[in-house]
Amino acid sequence: MTQRGLDLERVTQAMGEFGLVEQVRQNRIRVASTRERVRDAIVRAKDRLGCDHVIQIACVDTGKVLELHYHLTGAHRTVVTIRAELPRDDSRIASVHDLLPPAGIYERQMHDLMGIRFEGHPDLRRIILNEDWPESEYPLRKDWKMDPTKFYGGVRKEAT
Amino acid sequence: MPEVLIPIGPQHPALKEPVNFKIFAEGERIVRLELDIAYNHRGIEKAAESRDFIKVVPLLERICGICSHSHTTTFVKGIEEAMGLQIPDRAQYIRTIVAELERMHSHLLWLGVAAHEIGFNTLFMWTWRDREVVQDLLEEISGNRVNYGINEVGGVRRDIRPETAEAALRQMDFLDSRVVEYEQMVREEPTTLARFRGVGRLTKEQALAFGAVGPTARASGVDYDIRKDDPYLAYADIPFEVVTVPDGDVFGRTLVRIGELRESIRILRHAFGHLPSGPLRINAPRGAPRAEILSRYEAPRGELAHFIRTNNTDRVERLDVRTPTLANWTSVAMTLPGHHLADIPVVVAAIDPCLSCTSRITIVDRERRDVRTMTWDELRAHGVRFYRAKEGI
């Protein structure tokens, strides 16, 4: 724990061109980026700020847009959050699995539950939902409702 | 030699989440592995969106049977941050005490499981016996052995009486002496040395690159510990050290966990001895203003993160849970190739997977279309036999 904390000034210098940088609270800095620039922003955060550890990629469906929050940290222990919004009907974004290896598994999870397509991800197979879950149904989306006419996996009623 | 696919799992009633590992092997060598964690997705994140905060806490307690307190603490401290509440010191200390007891019982359980996987059942029986001391303390404090139900938004639900604190301090001396013995045992026993050393090696660079967390990272010399990096509860005013070792193998992960047992005892002695007086809880409002909170917590297995979005209502708009096992999985998938089939149980167990639910293994020989099924116990016995023949232990 030699290097301590990133301050707003340093993050703004490095990340300012990607969007608004604000200090949310102590130890948390947020960068509001866009989906086209997220990958570049993560490359920059890795190179200039030493953010080489991805804590989580959080995904929120607000009902209007899908938000992605890439929570990154590094030896400085400050959490830098890079944020992007995706339209719900065209939810594509560049994958970062090669920049941050654990992101690969998180992206598979979001693809499965939220229906986000991570372009460039080598293996977007199901990871959370069962293999007989119907296609194009994303249960963590706000407007998702179970369709009683569809089969969601498990043992069929007729079989019991 | 043909490549053989070995699926492990998904069902095992003893552990928390069923998981399926598909292991591709050439003879005794592992080539690569894949993971399927679909089997126990219970939709808790979705269910949390349709309940108010009070009802979400017991729901989250049931994400995991072992680190139940971790999930509720992460959630309630996130909600409290969103509401801007200042929680009484006594409540923070009680949460810390339960958190450290939980870490102790989890690490003792892990030590026993790891010993069992290598056929060292004496150590398994001893650690699980001593774990009962911790379990009894938890039961005395909360009334429950698992799912303690201590947390609520605004504070804790149960107090610790002075007699309980005194009795607990006496038990700490006993546990301390046991931990010393375990450390000596692990460092000197030929069985642990042969089966743990050099197995599942993860260098510091790999641990950083693959995003390992918790004891797995700290055993590779990465000193990430949320209790120090982003202090929460009462950790800011309790003295303790972050335990790291440079070994990077299963042996190192064992030493880190034993070291953390010692640090937990130190934290517990301080917390039981310095319990502040005052109220247990404050009245929390029903709803939370619009906020985005990343709540981090050092669970026994590593960093646990909850991303919480509140929206002026009494419900969360989104609760995104990232568990430590998912973060550690990448490092296992990267380090297992090249190892012996016989090392799977101990390497997989070494990250203390919260989903190591592996009861049957089907060995498929692709060329001969030959399928045989092995239980986890048989694989474990195979591991013990393999090393007995190879190393004479």
Side-chain angles (χ1 to χ4, degrees):
Chain A
M1 257 170 274
T2 42
Q3 269 177 287
R4 259 299 163 202
L6 288 176
D7 55 11
L8 184 61
E9 196 186 333
R10 208 172 139 210
V11 178
T12 312
Q13 244 176 29
M15 308 292 295
E17 61 174 283
F18 295 104
L20 178 69
V21 182
E22 32 178 1
Q23 181 103 36
V24 185
R25 75 159 169 96
Q26 193 220 338
N27 221 10
R28 301 269 195 284
I29 294 173
R30 186 168 62 203
V31 184
S33 187
T34 58
R35 77 159 156 173
E36 289 76 24
R37 308 205 64 189
V38 156
R39 209 184 135 87
D40 296 338
I42 289 171
V43 172
R44 175 74 61 87
K46 245 185 111 171
D47 293 348
R48 292 268 300 272
L49 301 173
C51 292
D52 51 4
H53 180 83
V54 55
I55 299 170
Q56 181 189 29
I57 306 177
C59 181
V60 184
D61 180 7
T62 61
K64 298 185 192 83
V65 287
L66 293 169
E67 285 175 11
L68 283 178
H69 302 249
Y70 295 78
H71 301 293
L72 311 176
T73 189
H76 47 73
R77 315 298 156 98
T78 303
V79 181
V80 177
T81 300
I82 298 170
R83 189 182 141 156
E85 288 184 359
L86 317 177
R88 298 177 85 244
D89 50 358
D90 177 31
S91 51
R92 291 173 299 117
I93 192 165
S95 166
V96 294
H97 74 278
D98 48 338
L99 302 173
L100 303 158
I105 204 164
Y106 305 155
E107 288 179 349
R108 272 178 77 182
Q109 190 178 336
M110 281 182 286
H111 171 251
D112 211 0
L113 295 170
M114 284 282 193
I116 299 175
R117 273 214 78 79
F118 290 91
E119 295 181 325
H121 193 294
D123 183 26
L124 276 182
R125 278 174 306 142
R126 286 205 186 291
I127 184 166
I128 299 280
L129 297 174
N130 38 294
E131 63 276 5
D132 41 5
W133 186 269
E135 286 299 313
S136 321
E137 295 242 351
Y138 305 114
L140 277 186
R141 290 218 180 181
K142 279 281 186 257
D143 52 1
W144 179 80
K145 280 209 173 57
M146 211 160 179
D147 178 353
T149 62
K150 279 189 180 164
F151 177 63
Y152 287 90
V155 180
R156 283 182 194 272
K157 262 210 184 109
E158 307 86 77
T160 54
Chain B
M1 196 177 286
E3 198 179 86
V4 174
L5 164 69
I6 306 168
I8 305 179
Q11 292 301 327
H12 190 291
L15 293 164
K16 288 154 285 346
E17 290 165 287
V19 65
N20 176 266
F21 303 117
K22 287 198 187 79
I23 294 167
F24 294 84
E26 268 179 27
E28 185 63 33
R29 293 254 157 227
I30 300 163
V31 180
R32 67 171 194 283
L33 63 162
E34 287 173 5
L35 163 81
D36 186 349
I37 52 173
Y39 295 93
N40 208 12
H41 185 68
R42 290 157 293 170
I44 284 183
E45 292 180 7
K46 186 83 176 171
E49 290 173 7
S50 59
R51 287 165 170 76
D52 61 31
F53 302 142
I54 299 165
K55 288 181 183 163
V56 169
V57 176
L59 177 71
L60 295 184
E61 190 118 39
R62 279 147 187 84
I63 287 183
C64 172
I66 290 199
C67 34
S68 57
H69 185 73
S70 308
H71 283 280
T72 57
T73 310
T74 318
F75 179 75
V76 296
K77 85 184 173 65
I79 292 294
E80 284 155 5
E81 190 183 322
M83 290 173 171
L85 298 182
Q86 197 64 41
I87 303 307
D89 286 347
R90 192 173 177 86
Q92 298 287 39
Y93 266 73
I94 292 173
R95 281 181 187 173
T96 311
I97 286 170
V98 176
E100 289 307 315
L101 285 172
E102 181 175 84
R103 190 181 317 279
M104 285 194 76
H105 99 68
S106 175
H107 281 0
L108 285 169
L109 180 135
W110 178 84
L111 196 55
V113 171
H116 176 67
E117 300 298 4
I118 60 168
F120 189 4
N121 280 338
T122 312
L123 183 58
F124 163 56
M125 293 293 173
W126 283 8
T127 52
W128 280 46
R129 182 195 64 190
D130 298 336
R131 179 171 169 262
E132 283 307 301
V133 174
V134 182
Q135 294 289 56
D136 286 346
L137 277 174
L138 281 167
E139 191 175 347
E140 201 167 328
I141 292 169
S142 69
N144 300 310
R145 283 168 60 90
V146 287
N147 295 356
Y148 322 108
I150 281 283
N151 284 318
E152 64 177 14
V153 178
V156 292
R157 297 175 59 226
R158 283 172 212 277
D159 199 2
I160 293 179
R161 288 173 304 137
E163 309 87 82
T164 312
E166 271 168 41
L169 281 170
R170 280 195 300 277
Q171 296 289 23
M172 289 302 132
D173 296 336
F174 167 74
L175 289 170
D176 210 2
S177 68
R178 297 304 300 165
V179 172
V180 170
E181 191 156 331
Y182 295 145
E183 174 150 17
Q184 194 189 354
M185 217 174 198
V186 168
R187 281 183 189 278
E188 289 172 9
E189 276 295 321
T191 316
T192 51
L193 291 178
R195 293 293 309 273
F196 284 167
R197 271 216 285 214
V199 174
R201 196 176 281 283
L202 189 68
T203 62
K204 186 172 181 179
E205 291 68 37
Q206 284 175 322
L208 284 169
F210 302 145
V213 295
T216 311
R218 290 193 285 274
S220 298
V222 179
D223 63 347
Y224 280 176
D225 189 323
I226 312 305
R227 292 175 292 173
K228 282 272 190 234
D229 300 343
D230 215 341
Y232 57 95
L233 302 186
Y235 289 113
D237 35 283
I238 298 179
F240 72 99
E241 301 293 325
V242 177
V243 183
T244 57
V245 294
D247 303 48
D249 48 9
V250 178
F251 187 68
R253 283 163 224 165
T254 313
L255 293 183
V256 163
R257 287 193 175 91
I258 292 175
E260 288 187 4
L261 282 171
R262 199 179 299 118
E263 289 302 317
S264 286
I265 292 173
R266 193 170 151 200
I267 295 172
L268 284 167
R269 278 198 175 123
H270 183 97
F272 277 121
H274 297 80
L275 256 182
S277 56
L280 289 180
R281 66 183 84 87
I282 51 170
N283 278 336
R286 283 189 66 90
R290 192 176 162 75
E292 279 172 18
I293 306 288
L294 174 68
S295 184
R296 305 165 78 199
Y297 182 98
E298 188 68 30
R301 285 159 191 77
E303 178 181 3
L304 170 68
H306 282 200
F307 180 77
I308 302 164
R309 164 68 81 78
T310 53
N311 206 4
N312 287 323
T313 61
D314 61 352
R315 284 160 201 210
V316 289
E317 183 172 297
R318 173 84 168 106
L319 171 69
D320 201 333
V321 178
R322 201 278 283 135
T323 58
T325 305
L326 198 61
N328 273 335
W329 179 254
T330 312
S331 70
V332 172
M334 297 295 184
T335 50
L336 258 185
H339 275 83
H340 296 301
L341 219 48
D343 288 325
I344 296 174
V346 71
V347 174
V348 171
I351 66 162
D352 198 1
C354 221
L355 37 69
S356 153
C357 295
T358 36
S359 74
R360 63 175 161 52
I361 298 168
T362 312
I363 297 191
V364 186
D365 192 322
R366 274 188 189 158
E367 288 210 332
R368 278 181 290 157
R369 299 266 162 219
D370 179 17
V371 178
R372 65 195 163 101
T373 302
M374 251 170 131
T375 63
W376 181 259
D377 281 346
E378 281 164 359
L379 181 66
R380 188 183 66 77
H382 167 69
V384 174
R385 271 197 313 274
F386 177 86
Y387 274 95
R388 201 166 277 154
K390 188 167 158 259
E391 315 259 347
I393 50 164

